[in-house]
Amino acid sequence: MKKINWNLFHSALWIEIVLSYFLPFKVTNDFQYQAGFPMSFLSVFDTKWGRSLFLSMHLNPLVLLLDVFVIYLILLGCVNVYQKLRKK
């Protein structure tokens, strides 16, 4: 088994965070917005004005790590394909 490429893993983490801001949110129950790619890891609840944003948010760290791992595998596959094509 290969060691984890930490630079690629950090890139996958940042790609996940940036994608969660740029991709459209999914609205459920008319008061909950979910963000994340490929699975939703952040839920923001519609609340009244004057409440803290942090009290209306739910972060699922396990799904976040799973999303980062999926993106890491995709990036790792792309790097391997690129290296094989470059050798030809």
Side-chain angles (χ1 to χ4, degrees), residues 13 16-17 40-41 59-69:
L13 178 65
E16 173 63 29
I17 292 170
S40 300
F41 67 90
L59 176 71
N60 190 340
L62 183 62
V63 175
L64 175 62
L65 287 176
L66 187 61
D67 285 349
V68 171
F69 184 69

Side-chain angles (χ1 to χ4, degrees), residues 19-30:
L19 282 178
S20 68
Y21 281 105
F22 288 113
L23 291 177
F25 283 28
K26 183 172 76 171
V27 180
T28 57
N29 302 329
D30 293 330

Side-chain angles (χ1 to χ4, degrees), residues 23-71:
L23 291 177
F25 283 28
K26 183 172 76 171
V27 180
T28 57
N29 302 329
D30 293 330
F31 66 89
Q32 181 182 8
Y33 303 93
Q34 295 181 336
F37 176 79
M39 295 174 280
S40 300
F41 67 90
L42 179 67
S43 297
V44 180
F45 300 98
D46 190 15
T47 60
K48 297 178 183 178
W49 285 97
R51 290 204 53 176
S52 173
L53 180 63
F54 295 113
L55 294 176
S56 64
M57 294 175 75
H58 173 69
L59 176 71
N60 190 340
L62 183 62
V63 175
L64 175 62
L65 287 176
L66 187 61
D67 285 349
V68 171
F69 184 69
V70 167
I71 293 175

